[in-house]
Amino acid sequence: MSNHQQIQATDLFQPYTIHHLTLQSRIVMPAMGRAFSPNGVPGPDVAAYYRRRAENGVGLIVTEGTVINHPAATSEPRVPLFYGEEALDGWAEVVRQVHEAGGKIFPQLWHMGMARPAGSQPYPEAPSMGHQALIWKVI
Ligand SMILES: Cc1cc2nc3c(=O)[nH]c(=O)nc-3n(C[C@H](O)[C@H](O)[C@H](O)COP(=O)(O)O)c2cc1C
């Protein structure tokens, strides 16, 4: 569709192709934290949750914030991890089900920075770290 054509609300529900990616609709679901993954592992209920969104026409799903591999990245052990075999196996099942239902999905990667309260689980001994400290660690 060119910019010169009038866009109708019904176009939202039509497939949309950008480069090599074709979405079943123009509807994109934003990241929305849920914290339903005990020990950071997304289980069958999480896969079913994302699958329902794809089944009901969402073209592209951005997952809830998922925790990167750093001890101060999160403050809540039920927020899903995006590292480790068990958590990644759980995500693989989420992806499989979303694709089966015609949707596409990608993860939001998350580090809480200095918003993390000191002493938070699952690594209470880890000091909270903001972006400057993290950049120094990387360098
Ligand atoms: C329950 C809930 C959880 C959310 N969790 C996240 C999150 O994990 N990461 C994020 O970037 N935004 C999160 N958001 C913000 C949403 O992505 C945001 O509300 C959405 O993009 C719509 O933007 P608006 O609220 O400015 O209209 C959350 C919003 C809600 C309502």
Side-chain angles (χ1 to χ4, degrees), residues 67-87:
V67 177
I68 64 166
N69 190 359
H70 184 269
T74 186
S75 64
E76 162 54 70
R78 291 170 62 87
V79 171
L81 306 176
F82 209 73
Y83 64 90
E85 202 175 330
E86 218 185 336

Side-chain angles (χ1 to χ4, degrees), residues 47 97 125:
Q97 291 206 29
E125 68 290 351

Side-chain angles (χ1 to χ4, degrees), residues 30-34 63-65 108 110:
M32 284 181 284
R34 302 185 64 242
T63 70
E64 63 205 284
Q108 180 182 56
W110 195 45

Side-chain angles (χ1 to χ4, degrees), residues 43-135:
D45 56 321
V46 175
Y49 165 85
Y50 286 112
R51 182 193 182 101
R52 278 197 300 279
R53 272 65 197 171
E55 279 173 348
N56 286 282
V58 174
L60 177 63
I61 298 168
V62 182
T63 70
E64 63 205 284
T66 66
V67 177
I68 64 166
N69 190 359
H70 184 269
T74 186
S75 64
E76 162 54 70
R78 291 170 62 87
V79 171
L81 306 176
F82 209 73
Y83 64 90
E85 202 175 330
E86 218 185 336
L88 292 179
D89 283 351
W91 281 119
E93 178 60 14
V94 172
V95 171
R96 194 189 66 73
Q97 291 206 29
V98 166
H99 285 178
E100 199 173 76
K104 298 280 193 276
I105 184 167
F106 73 83
Q108 180 182 56
L109 302 178
W110 195 45
H111 189 292
M112 283 186 74
M114 293 309 291
R116 171 184 178 270
S120 290
Q121 296 294 332
Y123 300 108
E125 68 290 351
S128 295
M129 266 186 205
H131 62 282
Q132 285 186 325
L134 286 165
I135 288 167

